[in-house]
Amino acid sequence: MSIRPELPIKNLTELGLPELEALFASWGEPRFRAKQVYQWVFQKGARSIDAMTNLSKALRTRLTDEGYAVGRVRVGRVSESIDSTRKLAIKLDDGAAVETVLIPMGDNKFSQCLSSQVGCALDCQFCYTGTLGLSRHLTPGEIVDQVIVARAHLPEGARITHLVYMGMGEPLHNFDGVIGSLARICDPDGLGYSHRRVTVSTSGLVPQIERLGQTVPVNLALSLNATTDEVRDAIMPVNKRWPIASLMAALRAYPLPPRRKLTVEYVLLGGVNDTDADARRLGDLLRGMAVRVNLIPWNPFQGPGYDRPAEDRVHAFHRILDAQGFTVTVRVTKGLDIDAACGQLGERPTAA
Ligand code: SF4
């Protein structure tokens, strides 16, 4: 199977405003109709053409008769953690499945973690999704649809205020799909999110980091996880292609909008990358950059033989970076009991 899914052009979730305008112009419909449909799909989250009540009956019938539909994804199993994190299994229309996670941030606000690929090709050794391999990229519509369908699974009155591309897949490997989804997500006539509230994470695809910076002013998070090429080569094979020095150069060149910081994610693996020397080297690598460091004590799953670091190790690591003047947070692990924490996404085989 090709990793590039065919864009179903008869699915309104896959069409941008220019494509809708061209379609309606070819039908002799006024231009504003295209915007109405676009707003129904992306702003109001309509799940059927019949729900678009300000369109004439004739236009709704024509759309249906020509084979158009809305939405490509369905929500399957919903798991809720004791900490109120919600994991949604997302079924795609070719039978593939991904997961998306709603993470409570307090005040009835949620951050949503989006998937960009079915599986992942990058094979990071500490990540469950990496064990699945890559089946295919998601389309722009499938990425945006995760946000639209998740709204129905929020508690009463809650909102999704932040979006992070940190679910299944390496977002920058599916560059076109992610950029296409951002066009809808950050469009005031679409989902209307400010770029400031959207973060794209990467394991370190250097050329695409540069392209992203030139294309759209979203926040960037780098999943670094090691301070020497030797360790990073071992836990993140992508490092053999783009080693730490090239990554740091790409980060320093990233065109960060004023008053914003890059995020550097650092998964702490007990006895692998969590020594005092690692913390000092991390400080050396990041010195002078506008960054916040997010330490993530590893979330276990069966297989790779790593250990979650001891709490005093996490504190020591934190203290060393803090003393060097960095903004450092330790990620509060959420959704661990439902396999929704960082690096745990992906359907588990069911017991026979
Ligand atoms: S950490 Fe991200 S890039 Fe690495 S294997 Fe997992 S999903 Fe892929």
Side-chain angles (χ1 to χ4, degrees), residues 123-170:
D123 198 24
C124 303
Q125 297 295 296
F126 49 82
C127 170
Y128 181 75
T129 310
T131 67
L132 304 175
L134 175 66
S135 297
R136 69 167 174 89
H137 296 323
L138 295 193
T139 64
E142 287 170 333
I143 298 173
V144 178
D145 233 8
Q146 291 172 59
V147 187
I148 294 172
V149 297
R151 290 174 187 155
H153 296 273
L154 290 167
E156 180 84 30
R159 288 178 305 131
I160 300 165
T161 56
H162 292 75
L163 299 172
V164 293
Y165 286 70
M166 293 183 187
M168 294 172 68
E170 158 57 61

mmCIF file of all heavy atoms in Angstrom, residues 123-170:
data_model
loop_
_atom_site.group_PDB
_atom_site.id
_atom_site.type_symbol
_atom_site.label_atom_id
_atom_site.label_comp_id
_atom_site.label_asym_id
_atom_site.label_seq_id
_atom_site.Cartn_x
_atom_site.Cartn_y
_atom_site.Cartn_z
ATOM 1 N N ASP A 123 11.001 4.697 14.224
ATOM 2 C CA ASP A 123 11.568 3.611 15.031
ATOM 3 C C ASP A 123 12.326 4.073 16.283
ATOM 4 O O ASP A 123 13.328 3.456 16.664
ATOM 5 C CB ASP A 123 12.508 2.773 14.124
ATOM 6 C CG ASP A 123 12.784 1.404 14.712
ATOM 7 O OD1 ASP A 123 11.962 0.929 15.508
ATOM 8 O OD2 ASP A 123 13.838 0.825 14.396
ATOM 9 N N CYS A 124 11.859 5.146 16.913
ATOM 10 C CA CYS A 124 12.470 5.545 18.190
ATOM 11 C C CYS A 124 12.265 4.392 19.179
ATOM 12 O O CYS A 124 11.148 3.875 19.312
ATOM 13 C CB CYS A 124 11.829 6.823 18.715
ATOM 14 S SG CYS A 124 11.946 8.180 17.542
ATOM 15 N N GLN A 125 13.337 4.015 19.845
ATOM 16 C CA GLN A 125 13.334 2.760 20.601
ATOM 17 C C GLN A 125 12.479 2.795 21.869
ATOM 18 O O GLN A 125 12.161 1.766 22.427
ATOM 19 C CB GLN A 125 14.774 2.380 20.971
ATOM 20 C CG GLN A 125 15.643 2.122 19.771
ATOM 21 C CD GLN A 125 15.180 0.904 18.977
ATOM 22 O OE1 GLN A 125 15.202 -0.208 19.492
ATOM 23 N NE2 GLN A 125 14.718 1.114 17.753
ATOM 24 N N PHE A 126 12.137 4.003 22.316
ATOM 25 C CA PHE A 126 11.380 4.144 23.572
ATOM 26 C C PHE A 126 9.891 4.367 23.318
ATOM 27 O O PHE A 126 9.138 4.645 24.243
ATOM 28 C CB PHE A 126 11.924 5.347 24.367
ATOM 29 C CG PHE A 126 12.047 6.590 23.530
ATOM 30 C CD1 PHE A 126 10.948 7.403 23.296
ATOM 31 C CD2 PHE A 126 13.249 6.908 22.926
ATOM 32 C CE1 PHE A 126 11.039 8.510 22.485
ATOM 33 C CE2 PHE A 126 13.358 8.031 22.104
ATOM 34 C CZ PHE A 126 12.251 8.828 21.895
ATOM 35 N N CYS A 127 9.454 4.258 22.054
ATOM 36 C CA CYS A 127 8.096 4.684 21.684
ATOM 37 C C CYS A 127 7.288 3.506 21.150
ATOM 38 O O CYS A 127 7.732 2.826 20.210
ATOM 39 C CB CYS A 127 8.198 5.777 20.621
ATOM 40 S SG CYS A 127 6.615 6.196 19.878
ATOM 41 N N TYR A 128 6.120 3.272 21.718
ATOM 42 C CA TYR A 128 5.295 2.140 21.269
ATOM 43 C C TYR A 128 4.879 2.310 19.806
ATOM 44 O O TYR A 128 4.902 1.352 19.017
ATOM 45 C CB TYR A 128 4.047 1.974 22.153
ATOM 46 C CG TYR A 128 3.231 0.804 21.713
ATOM 47 C CD1 TYR A 128 3.649 -0.495 21.988
ATOM 48 C CD2 TYR A 128 2.078 0.976 20.943
ATOM 49 C CE1 TYR A 128 2.934 -1.594 21.538
ATOM 50 C CE2 TYR A 128 1.364 -0.116 20.483
ATOM 51 C CZ TYR A 128 1.795 -1.402 20.784
ATOM 52 O OH TYR A 128 1.090 -2.486 20.313
ATOM 53 N N THR A 129 4.502 3.541 19.419
ATOM 54 C CA THR A 129 4.053 3.761 18.029
ATOM 55 C C THR A 129 5.137 3.334 17.041
ATOM 56 O O THR A 129 4.845 2.796 15.969
ATOM 57 C CB THR A 129 3.718 5.255 17.812
ATOM 58 O OG1 THR A 129 2.862 5.706 18.854
ATOM 59 C CG2 THR A 129 3.034 5.471 16.474
ATOM 60 N N GLY A 130 6.401 3.576 17.424
ATOM 61 C CA GLY A 130 7.508 3.218 16.542
ATOM 62 C C GLY A 130 7.582 1.725 16.265
ATOM 63 O O GLY A 130 8.091 1.296 15.217
ATOM 64 N N THR A 131 7.057 0.896 17.175
ATOM 65 C CA THR A 131 7.118 -0.557 16.961
ATOM 66 C C THR A 131 6.126 -1.009 15.886
ATOM 67 O O THR A 131 6.211 -2.119 15.390
ATOM 68 C CB THR A 131 6.796 -1.344 18.264
ATOM 69 O OG1 THR A 131 5.416 -1.117 18.614
ATOM 70 C CG2 THR A 131 7.686 -0.915 19.419
ATOM 71 N N LEU A 132 5.171 -0.130 15.544
ATOM 72 C CA LEU A 132 4.124 -0.519 14.594
ATOM 73 C C LEU A 132 4.576 -0.395 13.143
ATOM 74 O O LEU A 132 3.964 -0.960 12.243
ATOM 75 C CB LEU A 132 2.872 0.357 14.804
ATOM 76 C CG LEU A 132 2.270 0.374 16.211
ATOM 77 C CD1 LEU A 132 1.128 1.379 16.290
ATOM 78 C CD2 LEU A 132 1.777 -1.021 16.594
ATOM 79 N N GLY A 133 5.647 0.381 12.892
ATOM 80 C CA GLY A 133 6.017 0.669 11.509
ATOM 81 C C GLY A 133 5.016 1.642 10.903
ATOM 82 O O GLY A 133 4.000 1.978 11.521
ATOM 83 N N LEU A 134 5.309 2.094 9.698
ATOM 84 C CA LEU A 134 4.420 3.077 9.050
ATOM 85 C C LEU A 134 3.496 2.378 8.062
ATOM 86 O O LEU A 134 3.955 1.637 7.195
ATOM 87 C CB LEU A 134 5.254 4.132 8.311
ATOM 88 C CG LEU A 134 4.451 5.149 7.505
ATOM 89 C CD1 LEU A 134 3.601 6.026 8.425
ATOM 90 C CD2 LEU A 134 5.370 6.020 6.657
ATOM 91 N N SER A 135 2.185 2.619 8.194
ATOM 92 C CA SER A 135 1.242 2.129 7.176
ATOM 93 C C SER A 135 1.004 3.215 6.131
ATOM 94 O O SER A 135 1.134 2.972 4.938
ATOM 95 C CB SER A 135 -0.096 1.750 7.802
ATOM 96 O OG SER A 135 0.067 0.702 8.712
ATOM 97 N N ARG A 136 0.633 4.422 6.606
ATOM 98 C CA ARG A 136 0.431 5.500 5.635
ATOM 99 C C ARG A 136 0.334 6.852 6.338
ATOM 100 O O ARG A 136 0.164 6.924 7.549
ATOM 101 C CB ARG A 136 -0.813 5.243 4.787
ATOM 102 C CG ARG A 136 -2.149 5.362 5.528
ATOM 103 C CD ARG A 136 -3.293 5.391 4.516
ATOM 104 N NE ARG A 136 -4.609 5.365 5.106
ATOM 105 C CZ ARG A 136 -5.305 6.450 5.473
ATOM 106 N NH1 ARG A 136 -4.768 7.662 5.366
ATOM 107 N NH2 ARG A 136 -6.529 6.333 5.968
ATOM 108 N N HIS A 137 0.442 7.905 5.516
ATOM 109 C CA HIS A 137 0.203 9.261 6.017
ATOM 110 C C HIS A 137 -1.302 9.474 6.212
ATOM 111 O O HIS A 137 -2.110 8.845 5.524
ATOM 112 C CB HIS A 137 0.649 10.311 4.995
ATOM 113 C CG HIS A 137 2.126 10.313 4.721
ATOM 114 N ND1 HIS A 137 3.083 10.091 5.673
ATOM 115 C CD2 HIS A 137 2.810 10.567 3.567
ATOM 116 C CE1 HIS A 137 4.282 10.197 5.138
ATOM 117 N NE2 HIS A 137 4.145 10.466 3.856
ATOM 118 N N LEU A 138 -1.665 10.389 7.082
ATOM 119 C CA LEU A 138 -3.060 10.851 7.133
ATOM 120 C C LEU A 138 -3.233 11.989 6.130
ATOM 121 O O LEU A 138 -2.291 12.745 5.851
ATOM 122 C CB LEU A 138 -3.428 11.362 8.527
ATOM 123 C CG LEU A 138 -3.427 10.355 9.683
ATOM 124 C CD1 LEU A 138 -4.122 10.962 10.895
ATOM 125 C CD2 LEU A 138 -4.111 9.056 9.311
ATOM 126 N N THR A 139 -4.437 12.134 5.609
ATOM 127 C CA THR A 139 -4.748 13.269 4.737
ATOM 128 C C THR A 139 -4.967 14.511 5.610
ATOM 129 O O THR A 139 -5.238 14.391 6.817
ATOM 130 C CB THR A 139 -6.043 13.013 3.946
ATOM 131 O OG1 THR A 139 -7.116 12.931 4.890
ATOM 132 C CG2 THR A 139 -5.960 11.739 3.126
ATOM 133 N N PRO A 140 -4.904 15.709 5.012
ATOM 134 C CA PRO A 140 -5.218 16.912 5.796
ATOM 135 C C PRO A 140 -6.585 16.813 6.470
ATOM 136 O O PRO A 140 -6.740 17.145 7.644
ATOM 137 C CB PRO A 140 -5.203 18.037 4.746
ATOM 138 C CG PRO A 140 -4.296 17.538 3.668
ATOM 139 C CD PRO A 140 -4.483 16.040 3.638
ATOM 140 N N GLY A 141 -7.576 16.311 5.725
ATOM 141 C CA GLY A 141 -8.932 16.218 6.279
ATOM 142 C C GLY A 141 -8.997 15.260 7.461
ATOM 143 O O GLY A 141 -9.703 15.504 8.435
ATOM 144 N N GLU A 142 -8.252 14.157 7.393
ATOM 145 C CA GLU A 142 -8.270 13.197 8.509
ATOM 146 C C GLU A 142 -7.635 13.809 9.763
ATOM 147 O O GLU A 142 -8.032 13.493 10.878
ATOM 148 C CB GLU A 142 -7.523 11.919 8.113
ATOM 149 C CG GLU A 142 -8.294 11.064 7.121
ATOM 150 C CD GLU A 142 -7.445 9.935 6.542
ATOM 151 O OE1 GLU A 142 -6.197 10.083 6.477
ATOM 152 O OE2 GLU A 142 -8.018 8.918 6.136
ATOM 153 N N ILE A 143 -6.642 14.658 9.558
ATOM 154 C CA ILE A 143 -6.008 15.306 10.723
ATOM 155 C C ILE A 143 -6.982 16.310 11.337
ATOM 156 O O ILE A 143 -7.235 16.302 12.544
ATOM 157 C CB ILE A 143 -4.679 15.980 10.318
ATOM 158 C CG1 ILE A 143 -3.683 14.926 9.811
ATOM 159 C CG2 ILE A 143 -4.092 16.751 11.506
ATOM 160 C CD1 ILE A 143 -2.393 15.494 9.218
ATOM 161 N N VAL A 144 -7.570 17.165 10.500
ATOM 162 C CA VAL A 144 -8.502 18.185 11.012
ATOM 163 C C VAL A 144 -9.732 17.525 11.639
ATOM 164 O O VAL A 144 -10.233 17.970 12.675
ATOM 165 C CB VAL A 144 -8.946 19.129 9.870
ATOM 166 C CG1 VAL A 144 -9.941 20.155 10.387
ATOM 167 C CG2 VAL A 144 -7.754 19.815 9.247
ATOM 168 N N ASP A 145 -10.181 16.441 11.019
ATOM 169 C CA ASP A 145 -11.388 15.767 11.501
ATOM 170 C C ASP A 145 -11.223 15.248 12.929
ATOM 171 O O ASP A 145 -12.205 15.119 13.670
ATOM 172 C CB ASP A 145 -11.730 14.607 10.557
ATOM 173 C CG ASP A 145 -13.164 14.692 10.064
ATOM 174 O OD1 ASP A 145 -13.825 15.711 10.335
ATOM 175 O OD2 ASP A 145 -13.615 13.726 9.419
ATOM 176 N N GLN A 146 -9.989 14.951 13.334
ATOM 177 C CA GLN A 146 -9.775 14.497 14.729
ATOM 178 C C GLN A 146 -10.243 15.575 15.705
ATOM 179 O O GLN A 146 -10.801 15.286 16.754
ATOM 180 C CB GLN A 146 -8.296 14.206 14.974
ATOM 181 C CG GLN A 146 -7.770 12.993 14.226
ATOM 182 C CD GLN A 146 -6.256 12.858 14.347
ATOM 183 O OE1 GLN A 146 -5.711 12.756 15.432
ATOM 184 N NE2 GLN A 146 -5.576 12.868 13.216
ATOM 185 N N VAL A 147 -10.025 16.837 15.337
ATOM 186 C CA VAL A 147 -10.440 17.937 16.226
ATOM 187 C C VAL A 147 -11.967 18.058 16.204
ATOM 188 O O VAL A 147 -12.616 18.194 17.242
ATOM 189 C CB VAL A 147 -9.804 19.277 15.793
ATOM 190 C CG1 VAL A 147 -10.107 20.354 16.830
ATOM 191 C CG2 VAL A 147 -8.306 19.132 15.584
ATOM 192 N N ILE A 148 -12.532 17.976 15.000
ATOM 193 C CA ILE A 148 -13.983 18.176 14.869
ATOM 194 C C ILE A 148 -14.753 17.099 15.636
ATOM 195 O O ILE A 148 -15.665 17.402 16.402
ATOM 196 C CB ILE A 148 -14.373 18.210 13.372
ATOM 197 C CG1 ILE A 148 -13.758 19.451 12.712
ATOM 198 C CG2 ILE A 148 -15.889 18.212 13.207
ATOM 199 C CD1 ILE A 148 -13.905 19.503 11.192
ATOM 200 N N VAL A 149 -14.326 15.828 15.484
ATOM 201 C CA VAL A 149 -15.101 14.764 16.150
ATOM 202 C C VAL A 149 -14.819 14.722 17.657
ATOM 203 O O VAL A 149 -15.652 14.251 18.436
ATOM 204 C CB VAL A 149 -14.865 13.361 15.532
ATOM 205 C CG1 VAL A 149 -15.321 13.325 14.095
ATOM 206 C CG2 VAL A 149 -13.401 12.926 15.655
ATOM 207 N N ALA A 150 -13.662 15.227 18.074
ATOM 208 C CA ALA A 150 -13.324 15.165 19.514
ATOM 209 C C ALA A 150 -14.199 16.104 20.327
ATOM 210 O O ALA A 150 -14.436 15.868 21.515
ATOM 211 C CB ALA A 150 -11.851 15.500 19.720
ATOM 212 N N ARG A 151 -14.712 17.172 19.685
ATOM 213 C CA ARG A 151 -15.503 18.156 20.448
ATOM 214 C C ARG A 151 -16.680 17.503 21.150
ATOM 215 O O ARG A 151 -17.073 17.913 22.242
ATOM 216 C CB ARG A 151 -16.037 19.243 19.504
ATOM 217 C CG ARG A 151 -14.971 20.162 18.956
ATOM 218 C CD ARG A 151 -15.639 21.075 17.939
ATOM 219 N NE ARG A 151 -14.701 21.903 17.227
ATOM 220 C CZ ARG A 151 -14.938 22.403 16.010
ATOM 221 N NH1 ARG A 151 -16.074 22.136 15.389
ATOM 222 N NH2 ARG A 151 -14.044 23.165 15.425
ATOM 223 N N ALA A 152 -17.254 16.484 20.502
ATOM 224 C CA ALA A 152 -18.429 15.820 21.089
ATOM 225 C C ALA A 152 -18.060 14.994 22.312
ATOM 226 O O ALA A 152 -18.946 14.505 23.013
ATOM 227 C CB ALA A 152 -19.086 14.925 20.035
ATOM 228 N N HIS A 153 -16.776 14.827 22.585
ATOM 229 C CA HIS A 153 -16.345 13.991 23.717
ATOM 230 C C HIS A 153 -15.739 14.813 24.841
ATOM 231 O O HIS A 153 -15.057 14.270 25.708
ATOM 232 C CB HIS A 153 -15.369 12.919 23.205
ATOM 233 C CG HIS A 153 -16.032 11.988 22.242
ATOM 234 N ND1 HIS A 153 -16.714 10.861 22.646
ATOM 235 C CD2 HIS A 153 -16.192 12.063 20.891
ATOM 236 C CE1 HIS A 153 -17.240 10.267 21.591
ATOM 237 N NE2 HIS A 153 -16.937 10.976 20.510
ATOM 238 N N LEU A 154 -15.994 16.112 24.794
ATOM 239 C CA LEU A 154 -15.538 16.980 25.884
ATOM 240 C C LEU A 154 -16.601 17.034 26.966
ATOM 241 O O LEU A 154 -17.791 16.875 26.685
ATOM 242 C CB LEU A 154 -15.329 18.403 25.341
ATOM 243 C CG LEU A 154 -14.154 18.628 24.389
ATOM 244 C CD1 LEU A 154 -14.293 19.991 23.725
ATOM 245 C CD2 LEU A 154 -12.836 18.508 25.126
ATOM 246 N N PRO A 155 -16.194 17.307 28.195
ATOM 247 C CA PRO A 155 -17.214 17.548 29.224
ATOM 248 C C PRO A 155 -18.009 18.798 28.873
ATOM 249 O O PRO A 155 -17.537 19.654 28.104
ATOM 250 C CB PRO A 155 -16.382 17.780 30.497
ATOM 251 C CG PRO A 155 -15.002 17.324 30.182
ATOM 252 C CD PRO A 155 -14.826 17.397 28.704
ATOM 253 N N GLU A 156 -19.185 18.905 29.435
ATOM 254 C CA GLU A 156 -20.074 20.053 29.221
ATOM 255 C C GLU A 156 -19.312 21.380 29.397
ATOM 256 O O GLU A 156 -18.638 21.583 30.406
ATOM 257 C CB GLU A 156 -21.202 19.947 30.262
ATOM 258 C CG GLU A 156 -22.236 21.034 30.208
ATOM 259 C CD GLU A 156 -23.307 20.725 29.176
ATOM 260 O OE1 GLU A 156 -23.578 19.530 28.951
ATOM 261 O OE2 GLU A 156 -23.849 21.686 28.605
ATOM 262 N N GLY A 157 -19.393 22.241 28.406
ATOM 263 C CA GLY A 157 -18.814 23.584 28.518
ATOM 264 C C GLY A 157 -17.313 23.653 28.296
ATOM 265 O O GLY A 157 -16.731 24.739 28.325
ATOM 266 N N ALA A 158 -16.656 22.512 28.052
ATOM 267 C CA ALA A 158 -15.191 22.523 27.890
ATOM 268 C C ALA A 158 -14.806 22.867 26.449
ATOM 269 O O ALA A 158 -15.617 22.729 25.528
ATOM 270 C CB ALA A 158 -14.621 21.168 28.275
ATOM 271 N N ARG A 159 -13.564 23.323 26.280
ATOM 272 C CA ARG A 159 -13.063 23.710 24.956
ATOM 273 C C ARG A 159 -11.672 23.122 24.717
ATOM 274 O O ARG A 159 -10.907 22.948 25.676
ATOM 275 C CB ARG A 159 -12.944 25.235 24.847
ATOM 276 C CG ARG A 159 -14.262 25.968 24.753
ATOM 277 C CD ARG A 159 -14.030 27.468 24.711
ATOM 278 N NE ARG A 159 -13.246 27.944 25.833
ATOM 279 C CZ ARG A 159 -12.187 28.743 25.740
ATOM 280 N NH1 ARG A 159 -11.761 29.148 24.568
ATOM 281 N NH2 ARG A 159 -11.548 29.144 26.820
ATOM 282 N N ILE A 160 -11.371 22.887 23.449
ATOM 283 C CA ILE A 160 -10.000 22.491 23.081
ATOM 284 C C ILE A 160 -9.271 23.789 22.735
ATOM 285 O O ILE A 160 -9.576 24.434 21.727
ATOM 286 C CB ILE A 160 -10.001 21.536 21.870
ATOM 287 C CG1 ILE A 160 -10.784 20.264 22.200
ATOM 288 C CG2 ILE A 160 -8.564 21.192 21.464
ATOM 289 C CD1 ILE A 160 -11.149 19.420 20.990
ATOM 290 N N THR A 161 -8.330 24.179 23.582
ATOM 291 C CA THR A 161 -7.681 25.485 23.386
ATOM 292 C C THR A 161 -6.304 25.361 22.743
ATOM 293 O O THR A 161 -5.792 26.336 22.210
ATOM 294 C CB THR A 161 -7.535 26.218 24.726
ATOM 295 O OG1 THR A 161 -6.812 25.379 25.621
ATOM 296 C CG2 THR A 161 -8.886 26.573 25.321
ATOM 297 N N HIS A 162 -5.693 24.184 22.837
ATOM 298 C CA HIS A 162 -4.353 24.007 22.267
ATOM 299 C C HIS A 162 -4.300 22.694 21.474
ATOM 300 O O HIS A 162 -4.926 21.706 21.879
ATOM 301 C CB HIS A 162 -3.286 23.955 23.371
ATOM 302 C CG HIS A 162 -3.104 25.259 24.077
ATOM 303 N ND1 HIS A 162 -4.004 25.737 25.002
ATOM 304 C CD2 HIS A 162 -2.127 26.200 23.969
ATOM 305 C CE1 HIS A 162 -3.589 26.917 25.441
ATOM 306 N NE2 HIS A 162 -2.454 27.230 24.831
ATOM 307 N N LEU A 163 -3.562 22.727 20.386
ATOM 308 C CA LEU A 163 -3.391 21.528 19.572
ATOM 309 C C LEU A 163 -1.908 21.210 19.467
ATOM 310 O O LEU A 163 -1.091 22.112 19.210
ATOM 311 C CB LEU A 163 -3.955 21.761 18.164
ATOM 312 C CG LEU A 163 -5.457 22.070 18.109
ATOM 313 C CD1 LEU A 163 -5.864 22.463 16.697
ATOM 314 C CD2 LEU A 163 -6.277 20.866 18.577
ATOM 315 N N VAL A 164 -1.573 19.951 19.688
ATOM 316 C CA VAL A 164 -0.168 19.544 19.585
ATOM 317 C C VAL A 164 -0.082 18.346 18.640
ATOM 318 O O VAL A 164 -0.802 17.363 18.805
ATOM 319 C CB VAL A 164 0.444 19.213 20.970
ATOM 320 C CG1 VAL A 164 0.541 20.463 21.835
ATOM 321 C CG2 VAL A 164 -0.334 18.144 21.715
ATOM 322 N N TYR A 165 0.792 18.459 17.653
ATOM 323 C CA TYR A 165 1.008 17.344 16.728
ATOM 324 C C TYR A 165 2.068 16.440 17.361
ATOM 325 O O TYR A 165 3.242 16.467 16.999
ATOM 326 C CB TYR A 165 1.479 17.864 15.372
ATOM 327 C CG TYR A 165 0.416 18.518 14.528
ATOM 328 C CD1 TYR A 165 -0.124 19.745 14.873
ATOM 329 C CD2 TYR A 165 -0.032 17.921 13.348
ATOM 330 C CE1 TYR A 165 -1.093 20.349 14.088
ATOM 331 C CE2 TYR A 165 -0.998 18.520 12.549
ATOM 332 C CZ TYR A 165 -1.523 19.728 12.927
ATOM 333 O OH TYR A 165 -2.484 20.332 12.145
ATOM 334 N N MET A 166 1.625 15.643 18.335
ATOM 335 C CA MET A 166 2.551 14.768 19.059
ATOM 336 C C MET A 166 1.974 13.375 19.221
ATOM 337 O O MET A 166 2.409 12.613 20.069
ATOM 338 C CB MET A 166 2.843 15.323 20.462
ATOM 339 C CG MET A 166 3.617 16.608 20.480
ATOM 340 S SD MET A 166 3.973 17.107 22.171
ATOM 341 C CE MET A 166 4.693 18.725 21.880
ATOM 342 N N GLY A 167 0.945 13.063 18.446
ATOM 343 C CA GLY A 167 0.328 11.745 18.549
ATOM 344 C C GLY A 167 1.097 10.742 17.703
ATOM 345 O O GLY A 167 2.328 10.786 17.622
ATOM 346 N N MET A 168 0.383 9.846 17.044
ATOM 347 C CA MET A 168 1.058 8.821 16.254
ATOM 348 C C MET A 168 1.667 9.446 15.000
ATOM 349 O O MET A 168 1.026 10.221 14.300
ATOM 350 C CB MET A 168 0.057 7.728 15.875
ATOM 351 C CG MET A 168 -0.445 6.963 17.095
ATOM 352 S SD MET A 168 -1.799 5.834 16.711
ATOM 353 C CE MET A 168 -0.960 4.626 15.701
ATOM 354 N N GLY A 169 2.917 9.088 14.734
ATOM 355 C CA GLY A 169 3.571 9.538 13.512
ATOM 356 C C GLY A 169 4.554 10.667 13.724
ATOM 357 O O GLY A 169 4.560 11.324 14.758
ATOM 358 N N GLU A 170 5.398 10.844 12.717
ATOM 359 C CA GLU A 170 6.342 11.970 12.692
ATOM 360 C C GLU A 170 5.711 13.035 11.789
ATOM 361 O O GLU A 170 5.657 12.868 10.562
ATOM 362 C CB GLU A 170 7.698 11.490 12.148
ATOM 363 C CG GLU A 170 8.615 12.562 11.577
ATOM 364 C CD GLU A 170 8.949 13.696 12.552
ATOM 365 O OE1 GLU A 170 9.544 13.428 13.595
ATOM 366 O OE2 GLU A 170 8.621 14.864 12.237
#
